[in-house]
Amino acid sequence: MKHNWCAWLVLFWALALPAADVPAYTIQTVAGSSLMGDGGPATAAQIGSIQGVAVDARGNLYLSDTDNHRVRKVDTAGIITTIAGTGTAGFSGDGGPAVAAQLNFPYGLAVDAAGNLYIADLANNRVRRVSPDGAIVTIAGTGVEGYSGDGGQASATQLYAPRDVAVDAAANLYIAEFEGHRVRKVTPAGVISTVAGTGIAGLGGDGGPAIVAQLSFPAGLAVDRTGALLIADSGNNRVRKILPGGVISTVLGGSASTLLATPTAVAVDQSLTVYVAGCPSITVQSYTSAGAWSNFAGAVPGYSGDGGIAIAAGLMNAPHDLAVDPAGDVFIADGMRVRKAYPDGLITTVAGDGYLRAVGDGTPATSAILAQPSAVLLDTAGNLFIADTGTERVRIVLATGIIQTLAGDGTAGYNTDGVPATAAELNAPMGLAMNPSGNLLVADTGNSRVRDISAGVISTLAGTDAAALDTPLRGPRGVCAARDGSVYIVDTDNHHVLVAPPNGVVTTFAGNGSPGDAGDGESARFAQLNLPSACALDGSGDMFIADTANHRIREVTPAGVIETVAGSGTAGYSGDGGAASAAALYAPSGVAVDGNGDLFIADTGNHAIRLVTPDGAIHTIAGQGTAGFSGDGGASLAAFLNSPSGMLLDGAGDLYFADTGNNRVRRLLPVTDTVTVGPAPVSAALALVNAASQSQGAVAPGEIVTIYGAAIGPTSGVTGTFDASGLVGNMLAGAEVSFDGVPAPLFYAQASQINAQVPYAIAGESVTEVVVTYQGQMAGALSLPVVASAPALFAAALNQDGSLNSSTAPAARGTVVTFFGTGEGLTNGANIAGQAATAPYPIPILPVTLTVAGIAAQLLYAGEAPNFAGLLQVDAVIPGGFVPSGPVGVQLTVGVGTSPLFTVWLQ
């Protein structure tokens, strides 16, 4: 303990406190839903990118709705349902119903003879099984990316990006580890082994044992009726076969007669005909047991050909997966649809509408279907416009709340101008603006154009063949309009922003066209941007640019000088409460500014909304830093977002934003204090989170927590203090919190936030009742589960020299770094909540471990931080060896509770 603890404890206390002038918000959805067509015909359902298909012995079709984190089933009557996944990315639910479990980018699927469904839960680094009764369980993978466990139980092993699965007649499960360059096998008894690949990408070993052969990014798998295993060895442009004896060979690719390009899908029928597909080809090829190699399905890009010959049909893109049923029908994962090619050569669609028809037009916006919305706009009449990128449309939510299509027919492409906007084809629209004449401007990104919609008719304003502004564009994602009629175009793939004055000549406004981050303090026209994606203008003529790949927000002054106003340039999530220019952002893709000088940022990769106040400080105002969907009706800081992007302010302080990954548009509403006569109502916006992780969940004895709500404390923030006996008081400026009637010590109180310590008295309880009162009146109540530990780390760590760890002050391997957390549960001390820790400092009664990049660190100390209450201090030696430099994940475990990952920087 070499640091000035008093000074640092002030810092860590302050980490949990908001600036007094930062508003609190509640959150709600204003457009979009989770409705995807379940319970109806599969051909009318909406599905995201399909990365896996499988068919059982009865003819039921299973598909991975990967973008929506679900697995869906199409029964033999053609009805679709969700059978696994809640639609929110994550990991949960083992031992319970699969429909209530979380998946994270499910990919390959397989079904065994008993009806068990196996799911390659890619981003969770697990393989999971759904039994015929609907229960889900993990059968392989611990969730930690890596390679371990051969000869042991598969559930205790590490996997490295499990992409596909297959099962043989003996119920052995095969797993393609895409980034591990291996194929693993799990026996019915649960024992795992490697059957192919050394873990080093390469090509070698044909004719010998597969276990010593090299693979390169193995993807699709299939088992034929002889027991041979087929592998789409994508990085080697081959299909490899492992015979039951373990010998590997190449069966397709590697020669001009069966040329392959990045095969990712493979299937085989009862006659031993092999079907294969891969990127960038839009065809499915077949190879018979007699050696005949031919095109089986697909001829041109696009969606066409249903009811006709499969070899003449259009496929949307490279088929992601293939499956064959006992009748010899071949199922093709064709983008957002599943196509079925019959042995007689015909093709049809069996699942997926491709967002062509059933998207909810004419219904309330909150029951409609959106797909990857990316930008929003309001007009003076209160109509909300949405760039609904995934449906290839611009949607409008009328002031009545009813949604309609304003532009786009649902087909990606470009047909013509001068037609009704609803008859036009768009291609991934991603930006919106309105000029002073009321014309709607659309960044038609995939068409490299900016389109103009006036009186319902569409034309091209800028881009190829534009009558007005014939300026070459490449993937423009943003557009802004100034009061003087000037149009600013964020020309993303050209790394610059253009300006088109009214009746003027298009010129460069910012960015020299070369990707980079140089130029601050200089003329914006000569500076470098890197994939900018959005813009916003304030009333003074300042332009704010989301410089996405530079992880910055840049400002261009009316004098044409560019500066960074937020973001250090290094991807990450840090800096709250400090200077915005030193904070870490992650691929910001939305920006808005109000008349008070507040700057709002869609911190897309961090799944958060952040605010830069006029004093230059940055604060998170919505989201918890990890992808998910929750929180409507409650405090925005307790909500989960998923890749937020385009945003706008409505003039009343409400912030609308595209919650892109959640297929919704949501709104933040400022919390305002209200004076009531008589008993105060229970707040519907009350939420309790761990003060370190800002995550909701069960609470532990002694944990420091933050409670968000409305009118739960004084208008101006008040900080608690230790009294002469070393205790923090239970009432602060009229605010009180109790757990099962036991008063909690309060560290901070303000109208929308209270920081408190959970009393140790709740230990052993299963549920605790939390009651918040202000000035003697009840302000809210919660019922929460209780656990022995709920560990989390505060977003700061101290290097051995006492400096704050960061990208510019990394720690050396082998040195001591000090971490601070909470939620450790009972200690061997007196366990008096609110009591400052004094020597001998208490330590948790549950075992404490800390991993750095997945490797256990040596702990020199793990106990209560001196002179503080509820704060766990962990002094850890950073491991050497295989721990990489740069940002690495740190995870704290106390008992069976584990913390969210925290990033520390190493040199």
Side-chain angles (χ1 to χ4, degrees), residues 612-635:
V612 180
T613 46
D615 61 0
I618 193 168
H619 316 270
T620 296
I621 59 171
Q624 297 197 32
T626 55
F629 176 74
S630 70
D632 273 0

Side-chain angles (χ1 to χ4, degrees), residues 313-394:
L315 301 180
M316 286 300 296
N317 48 31
H320 295 146
D321 200 17
L322 302 168
V324 183
D325 70 10
D329 304 318
V330 178
F331 295 83
I332 305 167
D334 183 21
M336 296 183 290
R337 299 176 177 88
V338 177
R339 313 285 289 278
K340 182 178 181 179
Y342 297 88
D344 62 5
L346 299 180
I347 192 170
T348 190
T349 296
V350 293
D353 173 62
Y355 296 91
L356 275 179
R357 294 170 291 273
V359 293
D361 280 352
T363 67
T366 50
S367 63
I369 295 171
L370 303 180
Q372 303 293 304
S374 59
V376 287
L377 177 73
L378 274 172
D379 67 12
T380 56
N383 299 306
L384 174 68
F385 301 85
I386 304 168
D388 197 10
T389 308
T391 73
E392 313 295 349
R393 292 172 170 90
V394 174

Side-chain angles (χ1 to χ4, degrees), residues 813 853 855 879-885:
R813 281 162 286 189
I855 299 174
F882 295 105
V883 175
S885 60

Side-chain angles (χ1 to χ4, degrees), residues 2 73 93 98 162 176 214 254 267-268 291 305 310 349 367 502 510 704 756 775 796 801 885:
K2 304 175 182 178
K73 174 183 176 181
Q214 286 181 291
V268 60
T349 296
S367 63
I704 303 174
Q775 294 182 343
D801 62 2
S885 60

Side-chain angles (χ1 to χ4, degrees), residues 856-896:
Q858 178 188 358
L859 301 187
L860 303 182
Y861 176 75
E864 300 304 292
N867 305 315
F868 205 82
L871 188 69
L872 176 70
Q873 176 184 323
V874 179
D875 299 333
V877 179
I878 299 298
F882 295 105
V883 175
S885 60
V888 298
V890 176
Q891 191 166 47
L892 174 69
T893 300
V894 181
V896 297

